[in-house]
Amino acid sequence: MSRPTNPLALAVLSYLVQRPMHPYELSTTLRDHDDARSIKFNHGSLYMVFKQLDKAGLIRPLAVTREGARPERTTYELTDIGRAELHDWLAELVGEPVFEYPRFVTALSLIGVLPPDEVVELLTDRLAALGRSETEIQGLIDGSGTHPLFTIEEEYRLAQVRTEIAFVEGLIQRITDPERGWAAPWVAFHQGDNP
Amino acid sequence: MSRPTNPLALAVLSYLVQRPMHPYELSTTLRDHDDARSIKFNHGSLYMVFKQLDKAGLIRPLAVTREGARPERTTYELTDIGRAELHDWLAELVGEPVFEYPRFVTALSLIGVLPPDEVVELLTDRLAALGRSETEIQGLIDGSGTHPLFTIEEEYRLAQVRTEIAFVEGLIQRITDPERGWAAPWVAFHQGDNP
DNA sequence: TGGCGATTAGTTGACGCTGACTAGTCATTC
DNA sequence: GAATGACTAGTCAGCGTCAACTAATCGCCA
């Protein structure tokens, strides 16, 4: 009945607006375009999503083909309703920020249960990983000789990663700075160990 | 059996390390501490999570009480295994960045299906909302008279929101700039409409 | 030519999450 | 004093997701 909420469904609509496809074809297309970096994608989920979109009337089976003894492939096309939904959904995603719960936000909100020394170590590890991530993204942007529209989401990621790097560096400094005394309110994590 | 993956479970462990609680008590505590901003939280899920943690041996029922004709309240306490898991889990979250799929990244990767003019409008809407979000977070940080440790996650959010604002502003400029000609590769969204 | 792994294409079951529901109690108001 | 709404406390069904599985075909090497 109602529109799927899975972002993968949005990707399906976006590709079907160009031409009809069957699930497996889309699966490989998504792989080839590196879309898995921007859209969480499970091979198995794709078939569910197609089924849901069909039931919701956003797509419709166009043809069933078969090659040799392989399983049947059902090709789907977008309906007019689907086209409209694609537009509205995407417009909503672009126009209205969604309040989200990144893992690091959760971690930060609970970080008081870890002893400060260990936090500094962990943040240093994180910093290293973030650095690797930064160069990886940079490589993707430089490497793709295509129009910048196609790497716009990587540019966004890059900006966020750099911000996080700066934040973590600042955080480490604040914790270790003997002047400003960060130490006070840490919750004892293992009460039993320091009697 | 295995440890729950729901971040809410991490919050449960983090609070139980301080003192035993029953689910409803934790529910109100989370509400009061504004933790819902950093940890996705459903009243109903909490009971699931307690059950899962119990089954996994990370917490253990301590006592069952009852007031009047109200339902029973089961108080849980952390086990040693739970304490260890809390530590490892949180350390992992702090030390290793997780690859995530923010809605805006998905939107950006598919933005080619919307006509440029509309994208600019939508991004302008987004900018307004991000501005409101920025002042809201700023208010939270300034308003809490407490130790900065307790608003560290809001500071992180603030940094990310500001980065996004700058990014969106830049994106609008790039799209509208007549020199650099962004227009080329937009995918016709509604083929039927412009014959 | 026969055997191994990779690829093609899709199905299934278990699990976890969400939202809605139950059901009693307290405070307030008319 | 009884109707209203908010709070307390917890349960549960439906649905969506994911990982694992099936099962046939193709390429390749010896």
Side-chain angles (χ1 to χ4, degrees):
Chain A
M1 281 302 170
S2 64
R3 175 185 97 183
T5 58
N6 189 338
L8 184 53
L10 186 63
V12 171
L13 297 177
S14 296
Y15 276 92
L16 288 191
V17 85
Q18 300 171 36
R19 62 183 175 81
M21 292 198 199
H22 55 88
Y24 188 79
E25 186 182 359
L26 189 57
S27 175
T28 54
T29 305
L30 289 174
R31 263 214 317 264
D32 296 348
H33 289 210
D34 239 23
D35 284 310
R37 280 185 60 85
S38 1
I39 299 157
K40 194 163 184 188
F41 162 56
N42 270 63
H43 172 74
S45 309
L46 206 52
Y47 294 88
M48 296 291 118
V49 165
F50 267 82
K51 213 169 283 179
Q52 290 167 30
L53 287 173
D54 185 7
K55 215 165 65 181
L58 308 190
I59 65 176
R60 136 184 76 220
L62 178 65
V64 178
T65 63
R66 174 190 284 269
E67 278 178 26
R70 296 255 180 78
E72 291 180 341
R73 298 179 307 187
T74 306
T75 302
Y76 290 86
E77 65 175 352
L78 208 57
T79 65
D80 288 340
I81 302 177
R83 211 177 299 276
E85 272 296 329
L86 166 58
H87 172 268
D88 294 353
W89 191 359
L90 192 52
E92 193 186 318
L93 243 51
V94 173
E96 300 167 18
V98 179
F99 193 91
E100 280 168 335
Y101 301 85
R103 292 308 225 249
F104 192 43
V105 168
T106 304
L108 284 175
S109 80
L110 301 173
I111 208 168
V113 305
L114 293 178
D117 298 5
E118 191 180 355
V119 168
V120 171
E121 272 180 57
L122 291 167
L123 289 177
T124 306
D125 292 349
R126 186 179 194 88
L127 221 42
L130 290 172
R132 287 192 295 276
S133 182
E134 185 188 3
T135 53
E136 185 198 351
I137 300 174
Q138 189 70 66
L140 279 174
I141 295 174
D142 296 346
S144 96
T146 63
H147 193 277
L149 174 61
F150 296 135
T151 55
I152 189 80
E153 71 273 16
E154 296 297 341
E155 289 184 38
Y156 176 75
R157 266 198 205 281
L158 185 59
Q160 296 288 19
V161 167
R162 285 185 173 148
T163 298
E164 186 171 325
I165 289 176
F167 176 85
V168 171
E169 283 172 350
L171 185 52
I172 292 176
Q173 297 230 319
R174 280 204 275 173
I175 297 177
T176 52
D177 184 345
E179 293 300 313
R180 308 192 40 197
W182 190 263
W186 296 84
V187 176
F189 166 64
H190 23 331
Q191 297 114 313
D193 297 3
N194 292 328
Chain B
M1 283 297 172
S2 64
R3 173 184 99 182
T5 58
N6 190 337
L8 184 53
L10 186 64
V12 171
L13 296 177
S14 296
Y15 275 92
L16 288 191
V17 84
Q18 300 172 35
R19 62 184 175 82
M21 291 198 199
H22 54 88
Y24 188 79
E25 186 182 1
L26 188 57
S27 174
T28 53
T29 306
L30 289 174
R31 264 213 319 262
D32 296 349
H33 288 209
D34 238 22
D35 283 309
R37 280 185 60 85
S38 4
I39 300 158
K40 195 163 183 189
F41 161 55
N42 270 63
H43 173 74
S45 308
L46 206 52
Y47 293 88
M48 298 288 120
V49 165
F50 267 82
K51 213 170 285 179
Q52 291 166 31
L53 287 172
D54 185 8
K55 214 165 65 181
L58 307 192
I59 65 175
R60 136 183 75 218
L62 180 64
V64 177
T65 63
R66 173 191 285 268
E67 278 179 26
R70 297 255 180 78
E72 292 181 341
R73 299 178 308 187
T74 305
T75 303
Y76 290 86
E77 67 175 350
L78 208 57
T79 65
D80 288 340
I81 302 177
R83 211 178 300 274
E85 273 296 328
L86 166 59
H87 172 268
D88 294 352
W89 190 359
L90 193 52
E92 193 186 317
L93 242 51
V94 173
E96 302 167 17
V98 179
F99 193 90
E100 280 167 336
Y101 300 85
R103 292 309 225 248
F104 193 43
V105 169
T106 303
L108 285 175
S109 80
L110 302 174
I111 209 168
V113 304
L114 293 178
D117 299 4
E118 192 180 354
V119 169
V120 171
E121 272 180 56
L122 291 167
L123 288 177
T124 307
D125 292 348
R126 186 179 193 89
L127 220 43
L130 289 172
R132 288 193 294 276
S133 182
E134 185 188 2
T135 52
E136 185 197 350
I137 300 174
Q138 189 68 67
L140 279 173
I141 295 175
D142 297 345
S144 96
T146 62
H147 194 277
L149 173 61
F150 295 135
T151 54
I152 189 81
E153 70 274 16
E154 296 297 341
E155 289 184 37
Y156 176 74
R157 266 197 204 280
L158 185 59
Q160 296 289 19
V161 166
R162 286 185 173 150
T163 298
E164 186 170 325
I165 288 176
F167 176 85
V168 171
E169 283 171 348
L171 185 52
I172 292 177
Q173 297 230 319
R174 280 205 275 174
I175 297 176
T176 53
D177 184 346
E179 293 299 312
R180 308 193 39 199
W182 191 262
W186 296 84
V187 175
F189 167 63
H190 23 331
Q191 298 114 315
D193 296 4
N194 293 330

